[in-house]
Amino acid sequence: EDQVTQSPEALRLQEGESSSLNCSYTVSGLRGLFWYRQDPGKGPEFLFTLYSAGEEKEKERLKATLTKKESFLHITAPKPEDSATYLCAVQAGGFQKLVFGTGTRLLVSP
Amino acid sequence: DTGVSQDPRHKITKRGQNVTFRCDPISEHNRLYWYRQTLGQGPEFLTYFQNEAQLEKSRLLSDRFSAERPKGSFSTLEIQRTEQGDSAMYLCASSPGQSTGELFFGEGSRLTVL
């Protein structure tokens, strides 16, 4: 069964303190790995899609990387507005459904 | 606003009652998804439509749940004989035909079953 595990569950950073979030996965025939951001009371917001090991994507202070077993979301010099829950999801070949992890709650203090 | 719209945003009901949620996707998107999310968990897949055809359905979706997309535009999710375990946020998402995995989510419909 496809599975996604995210760590840590929660992370507290000072503004400007860089860190990484981890997403480990097992999936039958990875079609894509996705990162979403979710603010309280809102639906998830798409950030990145990664398709193959070695691929990297960047957006502002965020950089996502992918290996054959895990993905990392690197946050460089975070700001308080980066505070949110970051969700990782995988999609298996032949299916449309995404399997999500439980997320990492990030709090960035000024 | 041209995003995904869900209605109602909040619903409180008594156990055993039926509830229906509506989702209006982004107009040019032919793919529509329903997910369920409980506190502290990630979204859990329920079902997927391409146009009016329901092509994927989670094994977790009991017979009390039914979803329709009659004209390939808006969709409804009905829960019959609600149980306390059905309390959750029900999220709708849509995507264009050529996209894979980049879903546009609505703000959800929160269900509380007393």
Side-chain angles (χ1 to χ4, degrees):
Chain A
E1 185 174 332
D2 302 335
Q3 193 166 3
V4 175
T5 302
Q6 293 189 244
S7 62
E9 289 186 8
L11 180 62
R12 190 165 193 159
L13 300 174
Q14 291 293 316
E15 184 172 2
E17 180 186 2
S18 301
S19 188
S20 295
L21 282 54
N22 177 263
C23 170
S24 306
Y25 65 90
T26 54
V27 63
S28 302
L30 181 69
R31 188 172 178 181
L33 184 141
F34 311 93
W35 284 96
Y36 282 80
R37 168 191 170 128
Q38 187 171 27
D39 293 302
K42 306 284 188 180
E45 177 185 349
F46 173 79
L47 293 173
F48 303 110
T49 304
L50 301 167
Y51 293 107
S52 58
E55 189 174 359
E56 299 181 352
K57 293 275 180 74
E58 284 190 67
K59 180 180 179 180
E60 296 181 356
R61 295 176 293 281
L62 301 177
K63 179 180 177 180
T65 62
L66 180 64
T67 72
K68 288 187 177 180
K69 293 184 178 181
E70 57 192 350
S71 176
F72 293 93
L73 184 65
H74 308 277
I75 303 176
T76 301
K79 298 182 177 181
E81 54 261 41
D82 295 322
S83 298
T85 294
Y86 290 85
L87 296 163
C88 174
V90 296
Q91 185 178 41
F95 296 95
Q96 287 298 319
K97 75 171 187 179
L98 300 186
V99 177
F100 283 87
T102 55
T104 294
R105 294 188 312 277
L106 175 66
L107 178 62
V108 182
S109 303
Chain B
D1 183 62
T2 56
V4 176
S5 177
Q6 293 190 243
D7 182 71
R9 293 292 313 281
H10 303 275
K11 178 71 176 179
I12 300 174
T13 191
K14 293 182 179 179
R15 189 178 55 186
Q17 298 294 305
N18 299 343
V19 297
T20 300
F21 301 114
R22 177 182 169 121
C23 172
D24 287 275
I26 295 171
S27 59
E28 60 268 28
H29 289 181
N30 64 349
R31 296 180 176 186
L32 187 146
Y33 311 77
W34 286 98
Y35 283 79
R36 176 173 65 189
Q37 186 174 27
T38 54
L39 196 62
Q41 301 297 311
E44 176 184 50
F45 173 79
L46 294 178
T47 192
Y48 156 67
F49 290 86
Q50 183 165 323
N51 299 312
E52 65 275 9
Q54 187 175 21
L55 299 183
E56 285 181 32
K57 190 174 175 180
S58 169
R59 290 173 293 172
L60 300 173
L61 210 62
S62 77
D63 292 342
R64 297 184 297 105
F65 288 72
S66 62
E68 294 182 341
R69 196 183 182 197
K71 298 183 179 178
S73 56
F74 73 92
S75 175
T76 58
L77 176 69
E78 182 183 17
I79 308 173
Q80 296 182 326
R81 304 182 304 282
T82 52
E83 302 173 355
Q84 287 186 327
D86 297 330
S87 296
M89 177 74 84
Y90 289 85
L91 293 164
C92 177
S94 68
S95 71
Q98 298 304 314
S99 170
T100 300
E102 182 177 351
L103 304 184
F104 295 78
F105 282 88
E107 296 199 333
S109 292
R110 180 168 295 284
L111 174 65
T112 301
V113 181
L114 301 177

